[in-house]
Amino acid sequence: MFDREQVAALIRRGEILAAYDIAHAALEAGEDAREIAYTAVLCLARAGAVDFARAEYVRLGLADAEDHADAVALGARLLKDVALAARGPRRIAFAKASLRRYEALSRRFGGLYGTVNAATLALVAGDRAGAAARASAVLATPPMPGLEGEGAYYDAASRAEAWFLTGDQDAARETLAAAMASAPSAYAAHASTLRQLEMLCRETGVDPDWLAPFRPPLCAHFTGHITSLPEDALRQRIDRVLREQRVGFAYGGLAAGADILFAEALLDAGGELHVVLPVSLASFVEVSVAPFGEDWVPRFERCLARATSIRYASQDPYRGDEQVFAYSSQFAMGCAVLRAETLSTEAIQLAVWDGYVAPGPAGVSADMAYWRGSERRLAVIEVQRPPPCPSRWAAPSARDERRAMKAMLFADVQGFGALRDDQIPAFIEGVMGRMAETVEGLAEPPCHIETWGDGLFLVFDRPIDAALAALALLEAHRTLDLKALGLPRGLGLRIGGHYGPVHLRTNPLTKAPAVIGAHVVVAARIEPDVAPGSAYVSEALAGALATFHGDRVRCGYVGRTQGRKGFPATPIFSLSRAL
């Protein structure tokens, strides 16, 4: 039974895939309601599966639902998504098609939504005068009486967009300020408006810096030493940095010393704490908290209890591998950058540092070096103390050197299992052959390939190479004429990706190189939840891509994987090219 309140709550929290699963299951069970079909397609669109969403929009009859305002708006939105992701004549053609749908929505149902979007699409289509005229119509429409909260916010935000389209940036600024004052903590709504206005700035060549005062508080990654410095003085400096940098959300570990001081200061200031631990909880406390004084454990527990979220880079106990601490820090940095992108704000690193460069891959200096590669802001609280003792981690053995950070892709074709035996040759030559051509043509090919049936496992040294390979495979698959090959049109390529430490070994049976480990399993568990025609990646891979390659690819949160066979549900993100 379709529970609309449950689904609406999931969508508000951003759990798009979970909402889609409920709607899809209801449709499969024979529940024939336009609302359910609309919800399913909306979730696909928000999950980044635009091609699949457009096909389902037609198949489920929504394209003919001219008396259903939400269905008409969704059709316009799908065309808009295609337009904004395209260039040249295709961009203009889809922008005009979307514009017509939004105008039909406005004529039939009234309200500002259709008209302001039509104005925006006119601009995208190259008609600045038409955009300004439609925007003026928005401004001439009196506000609806009784609007409150987010309703009042969206009304004012639409008018701010309209002012911008008429060329009155001062009025846009004033109206946007009033909009945000009407719903000051509606950060998701604010972010949606800011992204829209950023797009309009790109279209018009206006410097987007005028939006800076409207951005939410910053997202921080914090890192620091396990230090015995006087706490009061250090805490005052941390408080000052949090206040001056306007930090409202922070991600990091929770070791004794500076980490816990950061966490306590953030929580006392009303911010959100997100903890990322490198190993299992008990092992982390044993290694990084308890040995440094009996007071640290209860403080650790209090911070953990007040944390908004807790993530684990690994659920394994600590085995003396420093790499897992480095990976955990990089994971936390990626989470901070992803959250900043979601909120349309800035990410910053806060570090308590003694000035010494650690010899291994982990530590404050290693965290700072990794962050500096992203060219984002870094605020350092410098402290003085004696040179640190040699690392507690032993030098890596030959066995340890066969462990490395890799980006991985798993891909398969939905519908392969239903093919007739006489269709298999066409599938191998046409579909798998196109995959082979695409992989061979990559500028940075995979360092390891395995394949079975319709399945493909690719391993890359760098996250960006895996991401670009996934997008190239999807784009190549979309160009296939499946009907001409005698194959079902519904064969959709699905790709899941992850980034983490793996073991590089030799398969004892085949004597071939093997890439194995718990993080390979993480990658494999993502792919079954991918919408056909899409690529979804783990938070770790999405974070690495967002930190360093946001100008080339985008990763948008779509929900969590389904928990299977004892594996917990994990956050996943849709992968697309940057606009």
Side-chain angles (χ1 to χ4, degrees):
M1 184 72 178
F2 183 76
D3 186 334
R4 62 172 55 87
E5 292 185 3
Q6 178 191 14
V7 169
L10 288 169
I11 292 174
R12 283 195 299 271
R13 293 203 305 269
E15 298 293 343
I16 306 300
L17 294 182
Y20 172 74
D21 287 341
I22 294 172
H24 179 69
L27 292 171
E28 290 291 299
E31 294 188 49
D32 185 17
R34 191 171 289 168
E35 177 188 7
I36 301 174
Y38 164 78
T39 300
V41 177
L42 174 66
C43 289
L44 288 171
R46 290 188 175 182
V50 177
D51 290 341
F52 187 40
R54 291 177 62 208
E56 290 290 273
Y57 183 79
V58 174
R59 186 182 73 83
L60 296 172
L62 294 173
D64 300 321
E66 298 296 333
D67 59 339
H68 190 279
D70 286 342
V72 176
L74 179 55
R77 180 252 170 89
L78 291 170
L79 293 168
K80 177 183 177 181
D81 287 345
V82 176
L84 294 180
R87 292 289 180 268
R90 178 178 170 85
R91 180 182 180 89
I92 294 173
F94 274 92
K96 289 181 176 179
S98 178
L99 183 157
R100 290 191 290 270
R101 294 283 290 183
Y102 277 122
E103 287 191 323
L105 175 71
S106 181
R107 285 194 301 269
R108 180 73 183 272
F109 302 100
L112 300 185
Y113 179 77
T115 307
V116 75
N117 274 283
T120 293
L121 270 299
L123 178 68
V124 174
D127 182 6
R128 291 202 175 200
R134 291 172 175 85
S136 296
V138 170
L139 297 172
T141 304
M144 291 180 62
L147 289 177
E148 297 179 346
E150 289 198 15
Y153 169 79
Y154 280 115
D155 183 89
S158 294
R159 295 175 191 278
E161 186 176 340
W163 280 119
F164 184 88
L165 288 167
T166 64
D168 193 336
Q169 192 170 317
D170 289 337
R173 184 182 292 107
E174 181 179 339
T175 308
L176 185 57
M180 292 193 171
S182 69
S185 59
Y187 292 131
H190 298 178
S192 177
T193 299
L194 290 169
R195 283 191 289 270
Q196 180 81 345
L197 289 168
E198 286 169 353
M199 183 271 290
L200 293 177
C201 287
R202 290 194 298 271
E203 292 291 325
T204 56
V206 172
D207 190 336
D209 283 352
W210 72 276
L211 297 170
F214 302 107
R215 299 200 183 279
L218 272 61
C219 296
H221 169 255
F222 60 91
T223 180
H225 299 293
I226 298 176
T227 176
S228 57
L229 289 168
E231 279 194 33
D232 289 345
L234 183 54
R235 170 60 189 268
Q236 289 175 11
R237 296 172 69 186
I238 291 174
D239 286 336
R240 184 168 60 252
V241 167
L242 290 174
R243 184 173 57 253
E244 291 174 349
Q245 300 296 338
R246 210 168 65 91
V247 172
F249 316 87
Y251 294 75
L254 210 51
D259 280 1
I260 289 180
L261 284 175
F262 266 126
E264 291 172 338
L266 178 76
L267 290 167
D268 288 348
E272 279 187 12
L273 172 65
H274 299 267
V275 176
V276 182
L277 299 181
V279 291
S280 66
L281 179 60
S283 187
F284 182 78
V285 172
E286 180 183 0
V287 171
S288 297
V289 184
F292 303 97
E294 60 182 16
D295 291 342
W296 287 113
V297 174
R299 291 171 69 176
F300 168 87
E301 292 172 344
R302 286 193 293 270
C303 289
L304 203 67
R306 296 175 65 190
T308 300
S309 70
I310 304 168
R311 294 166 172 79
Y312 292 87
S314 167
Q315 292 280 7
D316 296 334
Y318 174 61
R319 299 298 187 193
D321 181 5
E322 188 176 4
Q323 179 64 57
V324 73
F325 283 82
Y327 174 63
S328 182
S329 290
Q330 293 173 16
F331 184 17
M333 290 181 229
C335 289
V337 174
L338 285 170
R339 185 66 182 283
E341 287 189 349
T342 299
L343 294 173
S344 197
T345 189
E346 185 182 354
I348 187 173
Q349 185 177 68
L350 310 178
V352 171
W353 187 42
D354 60 9
Y356 297 104
V357 176
V364 180
S365 58
D367 292 348
M368 292 167 60
Y370 184 86
W371 184 266
R372 283 193 178 105
S374 74
E375 298 183 349
R376 288 180 170 82
R377 279 204 292 139
L378 167 63
V380 180
I381 299 174
E382 297 180 350
V383 295
Q384 293 184 349
R385 62 175 187 159
C389 297
S391 173
R392 66 177 182 267
W393 293 290
S397 65
R399 178 181 296 272
D400 294 327
E401 289 173 354
R402 289 188 289 166
R403 199 166 187 230
M405 294 290 295
K406 299 292 181 183
M408 297 154 279
L409 300 177
F410 273 91
D412 79 351
V413 179
Q414 187 183 53
F416 170 77
L419 293 179
R420 302 188 311 270
D421 191 64
D422 64 300
Q423 293 175 312
I424 296 300
F427 178 85
I428 295 298
E429 295 172 13
V431 178
M432 297 299 290
R434 179 63 60 83
M435 287 191 197
E437 292 172 2
T438 303
V439 171
E440 289 169 2
L442 292 172
E444 298 294 339
C447 58
H448 180 82
I449 300 176
E450 294 180 32
T451 183
W452 53 95
D454 66 323
L456 191 63
F457 176 48
L458 305 177
V459 182
F460 298 83
D461 290 324
R462 301 191 309 160
I464 186 59
D465 297 334
L468 295 178
L471 294 170
L473 286 166
L474 288 175
E475 290 157 3
H477 187 81
R478 291 185 190 122
T479 66
L480 288 172
D481 187 343
L482 294 172
K483 183 180 179 181
L485 291 170
L487 298 172
R489 292 182 179 179
L491 291 179
L493 183 62
R494 306 182 301 185
I495 303 177
H498 178 56
Y499 179 56
V502 297
H503 297 276
L504 308 178
R505 296 292 188 267
T506 299
N507 187 312
L509 294 174
T510 65
K511 311 305 179 186
V515 178
I516 56 177
H519 287 274
V520 176
V521 178
V522 172
R525 296 289 173 186
I526 292 172
E527 180 268 325
D529 289 303
V530 178
S534 305
Y536 294 166
V537 301
S538 68
E539 195 168 27
L541 179 50
L545 293 170
T547 302
F548 298 105
H549 304 289
D551 60 329
R552 304 181 72 181
V553 295
R554 287 284 186 269
C555 299
Y557 179 67
V558 293
R560 295 172 181 269
T561 59
Q562 298 180 34
R564 296 182 179 88
K565 298 181 180 179
F567 288 87
T570 58
I572 48 178
F573 296 72
S574 64
L575 176 67
S576 62
R577 293 193 187 276
L579 299 178

